[in-house]
Amino acid sequence: MKTIDELIQDGVEGKRVFVRADLNVPLDGTTITDDGRIRAVVPTVSALAEAGAKVIVASHLGRPKGAPDPKFSLAPAATRLGELLGKNVSFATDTVGDSAKATVAALANGEVTLLENLRFNAGETSKDDAERGAFADALAGLADLYVGDGFGAVHRKHASVFDLPARLPHAAGYLIATEVGVLKKLTDQVRRPYAVVLGGAKVSDKLGVIDHLLEKADRILIGGGMAYTFLKAKGYEVGISLLQEDQIPAVQGYLRRAEERGVEFVLPVDVLVAAEFPDLKTKAPAHPETVAADAIPADQEGLDIGPETRKLYASKLADAATVFWNGPMGVFEHPDYAEGTKAVAQALLDSPAFTVVGGGDSAAAVRLLGFDEETGRGFDHISTGGGASLEYLEGKTLPGLAALED
């Protein structure tokens, strides 16, 4: 895989360099609520601009239906990227149309532009190779070189991720190089004990990674909504908690395999419950009750791990040499159910381990709760791609990484 430094060394001055970034940031209207993914691509864009390239940044945002939709416009990202770069970033109001062509043609050496949301064109996500290829051809017409730096999208076989690199000389940006280097430390170069913390809503989203990690990890800690399927698999009453009944046989199989292989599976011993889901807009007090994990009332819903579980999980992370965490422990967006996620974050910070936060809601949670990687409090790495990280750890081939291989 060619590096961006090698690309720059070969000479990029005056050349149009297409940077596939991941600027899929959360928005409240037109206000960016977490700019972590924009900050992550700044080193790559800065290096290319400083080397005299004409930089064309492109990304997706949300899930528009292959047509323009104002609520998914990348215009706010162009403004924020310009602030972070300390220079104006022009904005094309389409992807391969008149605005994109004119905006790119107007670039001087060292200048940067951002194209409108790639998913406004149906060819970006099409399953039809010809339709996807036609869009990639149009994008290739805007550029001379390609740099892949959108790690959060590399598990997608999309035109700008998979097809476009085949049409242009290509290299991996700094972010992708960093992400892949970190993931190798979780797969090929693991220091032990290796602990994995998995949370989030659905156990079905994590089955593949659990299956793979049973061959790699020393202990696996489970929290979030997915924990209640595990508790049900052990025969516990889970009330009206989030539950995937159809996954119980698979979960029971994983618990048996873990016992056979000597992998420690750690489940909640107590949880916070309430009769209804909290109001995440008003953040009105929810007044949860703490109950044992095997004593959830039939009319109550589990919404966070309890205080004894927080202590237990901290103790299981204290002596780890490597920790991977993906998924919050509860409904962290509400202050009454944020303590479990906070406790795991703090345990990682207190641990001497190599610590990786695996993107998605976990990354959003640590920033929302005040654990930002730039404060110096320090996780070793906060990934920009939750889904991509999980698929890499499952041992899958990621289309966007395969496309960057020479």
Side-chain angles (χ1 to χ4, degrees):
M1 190 181 291
K2 190 171 187 176
T3 68
I4 185 176
D5 288 333
E6 291 171 322
L7 192 75
I8 290 172
Q9 188 174 9
D10 290 344
V12 296
E13 185 172 3
K15 294 184 177 179
R16 301 167 301 165
V17 182
F18 187 103
V19 178
R20 199 341 177 154
D22 177 12
L23 309 181
N24 186 29
V25 293
L27 293 171
D28 182 1
T30 59
T31 301
I32 296 169
T33 58
D34 180 1
D35 67 356
R37 285 177 168 166
I38 302 177
R39 285 186 281 124
V41 80
V42 165
T44 289
V45 174
S46 292
L48 290 166
E50 289 170 10
K54 300 174 180 180
V55 186
I56 306 156
V57 183
S59 176
H60 69 286
L61 175 65
R63 296 179 182 271
K65 305 297 185 182
D69 184 335
K71 70 183 178 187
F72 294 119
S73 175
L74 278 168
T79 301
R80 183 59 182 147
L81 180 59
E83 292 169 351
L84 292 166
L85 291 170
K87 62 166 62 186
N88 180 63
V89 172
S90 59
F91 182 64
T93 57
D94 57 29
T95 55
V96 292
D98 291 341
S99 178
K101 292 172 184 174
T103 305
V104 171
L107 286 174
N109 292 1
E111 291 187 341
V112 180
T113 192
L114 175 63
L115 304 182
E116 184 54 284
N117 192 337
L118 291 166
R119 291 185 182 174
F120 286 180
N121 189 304
E124 169 67 2
T125 59
S126 176
K127 296 190 184 324
D128 181 82
D129 290 349
E131 183 179 14
R132 216 176 51 246
F135 184 48
D137 287 338
L139 291 172
L142 298 173
D144 305 303
L145 303 168
Y146 176 93
V147 172
D149 214 30
F151 181 74
V154 294
H155 58 314
R156 306 295 188 192
K157 192 177 181 181
H158 291 169
S160 65
V161 176
F162 178 74
D163 302 272
L164 184 54
R167 289 157 167 78
L168 295 170
H170 50 264
Y174 293 125
L175 174 61
I176 279 187
T178 297
E179 294 272 12
V180 171
V182 166
L183 289 169
K184 285 184 183 298
K185 293 183 179 181
L186 300 178
T187 52
D188 304 329
Q189 307 155 9
V190 181
R191 290 188 293 125
R192 298 187 179 281
Y194 179 17
V196 176
V197 185
L198 296 175
K202 295 181 178 180
V203 70
S204 57
D205 293 341
K206 304 291 197 302
L207 288 179
V209 76
I210 292 171
D211 184 68
H212 202 68
L213 286 170
L214 282 172
E215 309 297 321
K216 301 275 187 181
D218 298 300
R219 62 185 72 126
I220 300 174
L221 287 61
I222 302 293
M226 63 183 286
Y228 302 101
T229 301
F230 278 87
L231 294 174
K232 186 72 171 181
K234 289 177 68 70
Y236 297 169
E237 168 65 56
V238 297
I240 58 172
S241 305
L242 188 62
L243 175 65
Q244 289 185 283
E245 292 263 12
D246 60 327
Q247 301 300 332
I248 289 176
V251 166
Q252 289 172 331
Y254 288 144
L255 292 172
R256 285 193 297 270
R257 273 180 60 199
E259 187 173 2
E260 290 166 3
R261 296 190 59 83
V263 177
E264 188 178 5
F265 239 109
V266 190
L267 300 177
V269 295
D270 62 345
V271 296
L272 298 188
V273 299
E276 58 185 24
F277 198 82
D279 189 324
L280 300 184
K281 287 190 176 181
T282 66
K283 305 290 198 308
H287 307 297
E289 178 187 358
T290 301
V291 299
D294 61 355
I296 298 174
D299 61 347
Q300 301 281 301
E301 178 177 11
L303 296 164
D304 193 14
I305 58 173
E308 293 305 313
T309 304
R310 294 171 215 154
K311 294 177 189 175
L312 173 65
Y313 285 14
S315 72
K316 296 295 182 181
L317 298 173
D319 67 340
T322 303
V323 181
F324 173 71
W325 172 29
N326 181 281
M329 297 292 99
V331 187
F332 70 91
E333 301 92 338
H334 192 286
D336 288 345
Y337 302 106
E339 292 305 315
T341 302
K342 280 184 183 178
V344 167
Q346 189 62 54
L348 264 66
L349 292 174
D350 293 341
S351 169
F354 176 74
T355 54
V356 178
V357 179
D361 284 343
S362 319
V366 296
R367 293 190 181 103
L368 179 67
L369 300 176
F371 301 98
D372 193 297
E373 70 268 38
E374 291 189 351
T375 64
R377 302 182 66 172
F379 303 97
D380 288 290
H381 183 68
I382 299 179
S383 178
T384 57
S389 295
L390 289 176
E391 290 199 16
Y392 189 101
L393 293 180
E394 287 178 43
K396 291 183 177 179
T397 296
L398 306 188
L401 295 185
L404 294 176
E405 296 289 350
D406 292 327

